[in-house]
Amino acid sequence: MRLGLRLCATLFLRESVRALSRHKVRSALTSLGIMIGVAAVIWVVAIGRSGTERAEEELHKLGDNLVWIEAGSRNVNGVRTGSHGTTTLTPEDAEAIRREIPLIRSVAENIDGSLQVANETANWTTRYRGVSPEYLAVKRWQLAEGAFFTREQVQQAESVVVIGETVRKRLFGNAPAIGATLRARGALLQVIGVLAAKGPSSHGGDQDDVVMLPWTTAQKKLRGKGFTWLDDVLCSAVSPEAVVPAIDAVTALLRQRHRVGQGDGDDFNIRRPDEIIKTQIEQSRTLGLLLIGLAAVALLVGGIGIMNVMLASVAQRTAEIGLRVAVGATPWAVRLQFLGEAVMLSLVGAVAGIGLGIVGAWVIESLVGWKLNPSPQAALLAVTCSAAAGILSGLYPAWRASRLDPIAALREK
């Protein structure tokens, strides 16, 4: 048994390497197809995972089971009629949602617009959001330093502001921002906090280029007298499963409060941006599967190349095969030798493909800016597939070699 195992190992490894080393260029070119296929599998899996992770990160940044209610409806083409100047959404609506819909955990009033803010040394045009303290929880936003304003400060419309990281850099640089005073439309606002950096949105906008203040302060000191409505109400459902029924409950409540007649269109709009990002995630996964399929085709082409080379090798080595059989080599030994050569070609290509995949992922990461982490599982899958391709592509040539008539083979010169 031990002698049989040693013989198998010799035929499968040493003789395979010896036979392939006689034609180094041909062997290298044959392994090239497998190398490219393995590298392609590693690349597409890494890119697909990176795209999915980025979309899932955006989904997390979007909010905590977000239910986003906008003032104004949408027309038949899906274009929003606009919230600024639309008076259909009021603070009383937000309070009614808090009070009457148990599926909603948090409610944050929202007023927004562009604003120029300035201190003693610089000024910057940014976007402001007048919100309630629940906004941080709804949008899953953290503070880097300082504190957020309280419900009491909202009720008293205090002149306090929390700034984003971009605004902090533009106005203060490396100087401390907490306690400083900003001027905005004639109002003096004291900085009480700095938001943690959140990075760009899924649409490329700078989420950190923002200042936040109590929505009551924004109404009275930025918008002016007579402004009593909201642009948006941002809500957080109690669970992901509760989002859809919460939307139905909010829709029914607001239609009742706004006295919208049966068959008439809503004078508000409830957005589901998470559905857009979930669709992006599904599309990313589908595209990843498609690309993996294309990479598998590359492996298949590489396997066909190995089969062609092995068939040519059988034709060229007919006399050698006949001599081996004549001196006592069994058909299974001949099959094992040629099968070993095919598998060795595929494994060499697979190892080179792993190296190319890692280097290529680093190059793609440098060019595109995506964080690519080649998956060990993808590399293992690619090597397994390449070994399978080697075995399958070597079976027929090995069988054909073992079926040669030794007398006829020895006559070949």
Side-chain angles (χ1 to χ4, degrees), residues 113-117 124-128 184-185 189 211 213 222:
S114 60
L115 180 70
Q116 185 178 65
V117 291
W124 181 249
T125 299
T126 183
R127 190 161 190 85
Y128 75 88
R185 295 184 186 172
L189 306 172
V211 297
L213 64 160
L222 299 184

Side-chain angles (χ1 to χ4, degrees), residues 251-288:
T251 301
L253 175 63
L254 292 183
R255 284 181 64 88
Q256 178 186 9
R257 288 183 53 82
H258 297 180
R259 295 180 173 85
V260 178
Q262 187 174 3
D264 294 337
D266 298 333
D267 58 358
F268 57 91
N269 175 64
I270 300 181
R271 296 181 62 186
R272 287 291 308 276
D274 62 315
E275 289 295 333
I276 299 175
I277 297 181
K278 286 178 181 178
T279 301
Q280 292 176 353
I281 293 173
E282 292 301 322
Q283 290 175 344
S284 176
R285 289 173 177 167
T286 302
L287 179 60

Side-chain angles (χ1 to χ4, degrees), residues 269-325:
N269 175 64
I270 300 181
R271 296 181 62 186
R272 287 291 308 276
D274 62 315
E275 289 295 333
I276 299 175
I277 297 181
K278 286 178 181 178
T279 301
Q280 292 176 353
I281 293 173
E282 292 301 322
Q283 290 175 344
S284 176
R285 289 173 177 167
T286 302
L287 179 60
L289 292 176
L290 176 62
L291 293 176
I292 289 174
L294 294 176
V297 171
L299 282 175
L300 177 62
V301 172
I304 294 174
I306 291 177
M307 180 181 291
N308 289 334
V309 169
M310 294 306 301
L311 287 173
S313 179
V314 170
Q316 291 174 354
R317 297 160 61 189
T318 302
E320 175 191 337
I321 297 169
L323 180 60
R324 287 178 180 272
V325 174

Side-chain angles (χ1 to χ4, degrees), residues 144-213:
E145 55 181 312
F148 209 67
F149 42 83
T150 64
R151 182 170 293 277
E152 290 73 19
Q153 289 173 312
V154 172
Q155 292 173 351
Q156 298 171 15
E158 292 190 13
S159 299
V160 292
V161 66
V162 177
I163 63 175
E165 180 62 19
T166 299
V167 179
R168 185 197 67 78
K169 290 180 179 178
R170 293 289 181 175
L171 295 183
F172 298 98
N174 296 324
I178 304 298
T181 300
L182 300 182
R183 299 187 307 276
R185 295 184 186 172
L188 298 179
L189 306 172
Q190 183 183 17
V191 179
I192 62 171
V194 178
L195 295 165
K198 208 169 189 181
S201 67
S202 58
H203 303 292
D206 185 1
Q207 298 184 91
D208 301 316
D209 190 5
V210 67
V211 297
M212 297 184 188
L213 64 160

